[in-house]
Amino acid sequence: MPAQTDLNLVPFVSVETMMNLVASTGTETFLTELAAYIEEDFRRWECFDKTPRIASHSLDGVIELMPTSDGRLYGFKYVNGHPKNTRTGRQTVTAFGVLSDVDSGYPLLLSEMTILTALRTAATSALGARYLAPKGARTMALIGNGAQSEFQALAFKALLGIDRLRLFDIEPAASDRCRRNLEAFGFQIEICRSAEQAVEGAHIITTATADKQSATILTDNMIGSGVHINAVGGDCPGKTELHRDILLRADIFVEFPPQTRIEGEIQQLPADHPVTELWQVMSGAAPGRQTAEQITLFDSVGFATEDFSALRYVRDILIAGGKIDYLDLLADPDEPRDLFGMLLRHKARQQT
Ligand code: NAD
């Protein structure tokens, strides 16, 4: 990214620029480097302004704003969740976000975040699993084979060495697509006929289904000792994936409790049910997995600091040499207080 001389022009990461960045970096390298940024920010958790995301719910979905700041940079993401969208050719989840300079309030970057969200969600899942999954885990059940699924698979390969996948989706075409897309990445993949079959022999179980209801993708009898569950799809009030009995047997790890208690699997539990915060595990203040028999659960909902880390990472790659477009987003009158004069001069120029 060339030095920004014109401060009213805001660097803009389009979908195409994001795809170019991922392609030139390599998906697995991107996920690994992104995970390092996410981990770095989790380790300085106390530096951040934190608030549960601001959600506007409707019949078929939700639109959310996710802000945070470390006092130097400020970031927010706009994201939706509309499970019915795929029926009309649209994504369940789309997003874009902004990273700003706290001192001036000026945006430093406006970025697409649909792809970036899938990458950061997968990187966070795999990062959590590094502390929580059983040692030597190689096999992952992946239930729900939609937009997030390949990203999850690749992050677990890049960060943990997972190389065997057991796929299940209620729509077989989704599993077929997922297998096809992952063909070149060296996984051994089995498509399963049910969630029960998918979890057989899996060390890690990832659920990434989308339904605007309390579903029961996993029941208690499907979960053997020693398994790590990465529950990604339950991320809204009334939208969960696990039977409550699993939660009662598992040690539960979360991002930001005030948000997860509203949105995560633990909305099914009393508000004082003990959970461990991921940042404590990453900073060494709390243990991750302690025994081979323990059932661990990452109750993922997605938190603002992860998007902040992702925007920070993307900006750093671009500063190191990426090609970027600029948006004429901020009004910039010759004299800062003469905003109206800028309009008058523009009109006069148009009339000549
Ligand atoms: P998607 O609509 O592209 O895919 C969801 C898939 O789940 C579909 O293929 C669907 O057929 C399948 N499915 C639905 N019900 C199922 C069931 N009972 N059993 C098996 N498969 C089932 O959605 P996506 O973008 O992949 O997102 C998946 C989920 O992850 C969504 O619920 C989304 O809100 C959530 N999400 C969470 C985070 C996070 O940070 N935790 C981030 C992004 C998305």
Side-chain angles (χ1 to χ4, degrees):
M1 182 162 68
Q4 202 178 333
T5 44
D6 213 344
L7 289 176
N8 60 320
L9 293 181
V10 177
F12 171 57
V13 183
S14 64
V15 172
E16 188 172 341
T17 303
M18 186 62 75
M19 291 196 292
N20 288 339
L21 275 186
V22 177
S24 60
T25 310
T27 313
E28 288 180 59
T29 304
F30 193 108
L31 284 161
T32 306
E33 291 179 355
L34 171 55
Y37 272 65
I38 293 171
E39 186 167 34
E40 183 178 78
D41 287 338
F42 266 116
R43 284 188 175 162
R44 56 187 192 107
W45 188 249
E46 273 137 350
C47 300
F48 285 91
D49 269 352
K50 293 176 286 294
T51 177
R53 61 184 153 198
I54 299 136
S56 173
H57 295 277
S58 53
L59 193 60
D60 290 330
V62 62
I63 295 175
E64 296 163 328
L65 288 178
M66 303 172 70
T68 191
S69 170
D70 67 356
R72 207 172 55 80
L73 296 171
Y74 170 93
F76 80 86
K77 180 171 84 173
Y78 166 106
V79 62
N80 77 304
H82 287 69
K84 281 188 186 165
N85 272 3
T86 51
R87 293 183 205 165
T88 49
R90 284 179 284 198
Q91 297 275 300
T92 295
V93 175
T94 56
F96 64 88
V98 170
L99 193 68
S100 296
D101 169 43
V102 166
D103 283 347
S104 65
Y106 268 43
L108 300 168
L109 193 72
L110 170 63
S111 179
E112 90 78 39
M113 289 193 80
T114 305
I115 298 168
L116 195 57
T117 292
L119 289 159
R120 76 80 156 123
T121 303
T124 307
S125 286
L127 182 59
R130 273 222 291 236
Y131 295 90
L132 303 175
K135 271 205 180 64
R138 286 188 64 182
T139 304
M140 178 159 86
L142 189 43
I143 301 172
N145 303 149
Q148 309 301 316
S149 60
E150 295 95 338
F151 295 90
Q152 289 283 329
L154 286 170
F156 277 82
K157 175 166 181 277
L159 274 80
L160 280 94
I162 292 298
D163 58 0
R164 297 175 193 159
L165 297 175
R166 300 177 63 76
L167 307 181
F168 173 67
D169 195 291
I170 43 170
E171 290 188 26
S175 302
D176 289 340
R177 189 219 64 248
C178 182
R179 174 159 66 182
R180 238 185 354 266
N181 283 345
L182 292 175
E183 235 160 35
F185 292 92
F187 290 102
Q188 185 185 310
I189 301 178
E190 187 173 342
I191 296 185
C192 301
R193 287 185 308 279
S194 64
E196 285 83 349
Q197 193 191 356
V199 303
E200 275 171 28
H203 308 115
I204 299 173
I205 302 170
T206 289
T207 53
T209 67
D211 207 348
K212 197 159 171 50
Q213 63 163 349
S214 294
T216 309
I217 308 299
L218 298 178
T219 50
D220 193 32
N221 60 325
M222 290 161 69
I223 306 302
S225 72
V227 160
H228 173 59
I229 305 169
N230 168 44
V232 175
D235 59 357
C236 258
K239 176 167 173 274
T240 54
E241 294 180 304
L242 310 188
H243 192 283
R244 185 175 182 275
D245 288 351
I246 299 174
L247 309 183
L248 299 175
R249 281 168 66 210
D251 289 305
I252 303 173
F253 297 81
V254 302
E255 291 143 315
F256 181 54
Q259 181 177 309
T260 313
R261 295 216 186 263
I262 299 168
E263 302 179 350
E265 297 299 327
I266 58 170
Q267 65 186 274
Q268 304 180 63
L269 298 178
D272 59 353
H273 188 91
V275 295
T276 305
E277 296 180 49
L278 218 46
W279 73 271
Q280 294 178 312
V281 177
M282 291 184 194
S283 63
R289 171 173 291 271
Q290 291 176 284
T291 70
E293 295 73 36
Q294 205 178 352
I295 295 167
T296 50
L297 163 65
F298 173 34
D299 186 1
S300 158
V301 292
F303 187 59
T305 58
E306 296 150 30
D307 300 309
F308 177 97
S309 312
L311 289 168
R312 203 164 67 71
Y313 171 56
V314 166
R315 181 162 183 264
D316 284 355
I317 318 182
L318 289 168
I319 288 171
K323 183 184 161 305
I324 185 90
D325 301 317
Y326 290 90
L327 283 186
D328 179 19
L329 192 66
L330 307 175
D332 185 31
D334 302 336
E335 201 273 287
R337 284 164 296 189
D338 194 19
L339 188 60
F340 190 70
M342 186 174 80
L343 268 182
L344 292 178
R345 285 189 293 280
H346 177 74
K347 194 172 171 200
R349 271 197 307 275
Q350 281 190 325
Q351 284 167 350
T352 55

